[in-house]
Amino acid sequence: MPAELTPETIESWLKQSPFIAFMNLEVVSVDAQGGEVAMKMPMRAEFERGGGIGGQFHGGPIAALIDTVGDFAVAVVVKGGVPTINFRVDYLRPSTGTHLLAKARTRRVGRTVGVVDIDVFDDQGRLTAVGRGCYGAQPG
């Protein structure tokens, strides 16, 4: 495990999962001491809601973004990959634009469980979804 988790380290971890690599996430910021991570997810045709509604993200990729960024907020604290226990999503408005920005902040990382709040913003800075996740706190 590296002594310090840099955005480059996290981006290399993202590439280890074919699904996460497909999402093409970009690490925007990492604060391991504060348990905060921010990532951008670009729009791609496979993420569109469809049905004649152009440029709108489907809820599935938004949920995957929330889960991934929440997971990594705990991972930077415990310095290793952690499993998802559960997470929830509240969609507040349609998510549109060229990308979404997810900001995750750990609320608490205990011996066995970490709890994270995640906010998702569209490319105009509007809050479009919020999530909360619980993740294992033991790297494995």
Side-chain angles (χ1 to χ4, degrees), residues 11-73:
E11 286 183 359
S12 73
W13 286 358
L14 294 172
K15 292 175 184 170
Q16 292 176 11
S17 163
F19 178 76
I20 294 173
F22 178 77
M23 293 168 59
N24 199 25
L25 300 179
E26 174 190 337
V27 178
V28 174
S29 64
V30 177
D31 175 3
Q33 289 187 330
E36 297 182 4
V37 173
M39 295 184 195
K40 280 172 51 173
M41 180 176 71
M43 172 56 91
R44 55 188 305 161
E46 295 87 352
F47 293 164
E48 285 198 47
R49 182 170 167 220
I53 303 172
Q56 197 174 101
F57 283 84
H58 184 280
I62 298 168
L65 173 64
I66 285 171
D67 181 32
T68 303
V69 178
D71 184 283
F72 276 85

